Amino acid sequence: AQSVTQLDSHVSVSEGTPVLLRCNYSSSYSPSLFWYVQHPNKGLQLLLKYTSAATLVKGINGFEAEFKKSETSFHLTKPSAHMSDAAEYFCVVSYTGGFKTIFGAGTRLFVKA
Amino acid sequence: EPEVTQTPSHQVTQMGQEVILRCVPISNHLYFYWYRQILGQKVEFLVSFYNNEISEKSEIFDDQFSVERPDGSNFTLKIRSTKLEDSAMYFCASSELVGGGGDYGYTFGSGTRLTVV
């Protein structure tokens, strides 16, 4: 069965330090993978997506993610955290011909001054 | 950047009443979706819709739920007889291509917070 696991429910970093949000997926097929961000009382904004092109995907606001098939991972990184990055981040997998998606449980990122 | 619009942003309804949540997807998108997020829980897939029919639905999407694209621009989610446990944030999304392909992946609306009392 397909699933998405976000390994950390909360991550806390200091401003200016690197961010790593971890995501592992299980899929029988080549998945499409996405990272979305949700700021308080806002909708879900696409950060980046992987759809079988380059394995290193660059997104908005300096975020990037690397698809590693051997590790079934799609971790989100950013070299230097900013206060405005504080939000909830969701790893999402699309499968079953793309008509169904599974969300990870989310990782709340805290950024300390 | 194009947006998905959802109305209303908040809705309070009495248990047993019918509610209709409305969404205007991005105009050139062909695939439409509803999700819900119960407070403090993960986002859950409800249903996908393409070519005027349901493509996929989850076990949550039982007979009390229905979706419709009544006029070529709106995409609605109807809950026939609401229960307390239907209280959640409901998100609509659309995509240009299947599987979230296209430039914007799945584009989500800002959600409708439904409170059943």
Side-chain angles (χ1 to χ4, degrees), chain A residues 4 32 34 36 38 41-46 49 51 88 90 92-106, chain B residues 31 33 35 37 42-45 48 50 55-59 91 98-110 113:
Chain A
V4 180
S32 294
F34 308 80
Y36 282 84
Q38 185 179 32
N41 300 314
K42 300 282 188 183
L44 295 151
Q45 182 186 19
L46 178 68
K49 63 175 188 170
T51 53
E88 184 100 25
F90 293 97
V92 180
V93 175
S94 167
Y95 72 103
T96 315
F99 288 117
K100 187 171 181 178
T101 52
I102 296 180
F103 275 69
Chain B
Y31 301 85
Y33 315 85
Y35 300 80
Q37 185 179 30
K42 66 195 304 186
V43 178
E44 300 171 292
F45 169 82
S48 59
Y50 169 69
S55 314
E56 185 78 31
K57 60 182 181 179
S58 71
E59 58 277 5
F91 290 105
V98 68
D103 291 340
Y104 302 105
Y106 299 96
T107 304
F108 286 82
S110 297
R113 182 164 297 286

Side-chain angles (χ1 to χ4, degrees), chain B residues 2 8 10 18 23 26 29 31 60 62-63 73 77 80 91 96 101 106 108:
Chain B
H10 295 88
E18 174 184 285
C23 170
I26 293 171
H29 284 190
Y31 301 85
I60 302 168
D62 61 22
D63 290 344
S73 62
L77 174 70
R80 273 183 250 289
F91 290 105
E96 185 180 1
Y106 299 96
F108 286 82

Side-chain angles (χ1 to χ4, degrees), chain A residues 23 31-37 45-61 63-68 73-77 90-94 101, chain B residues 1 29 33 94-108:
Chain A
C23 173
S32 294
L33 294 154
F34 308 80
W35 275 99
Y36 282 84
V37 61
Q45 182 186 19
L46 178 68
L47 281 177
L48 48 82
K49 63 175 188 170
Y50 166 78
T51 53
S52 75
T55 55
L56 181 63
V57 182
K58 293 189 184 299
I60 62 171
N61 301 334
F63 284 95
E64 61 182 40
E66 186 171 7
F67 173 69
K68 291 187 177 179
S73 69
F74 190 58
H75 301 334
L76 182 71
T77 60
F90 293 97
C91 182
V92 180
V93 175
S94 167
T101 52
Chain B
E1 189 173 316
H29 284 190
Y33 315 85
S94 66
S95 66
E96 185 180 1
L97 301 173
V98 68
D103 291 340
Y104 302 105
Y106 299 96
T107 304
F108 286 82

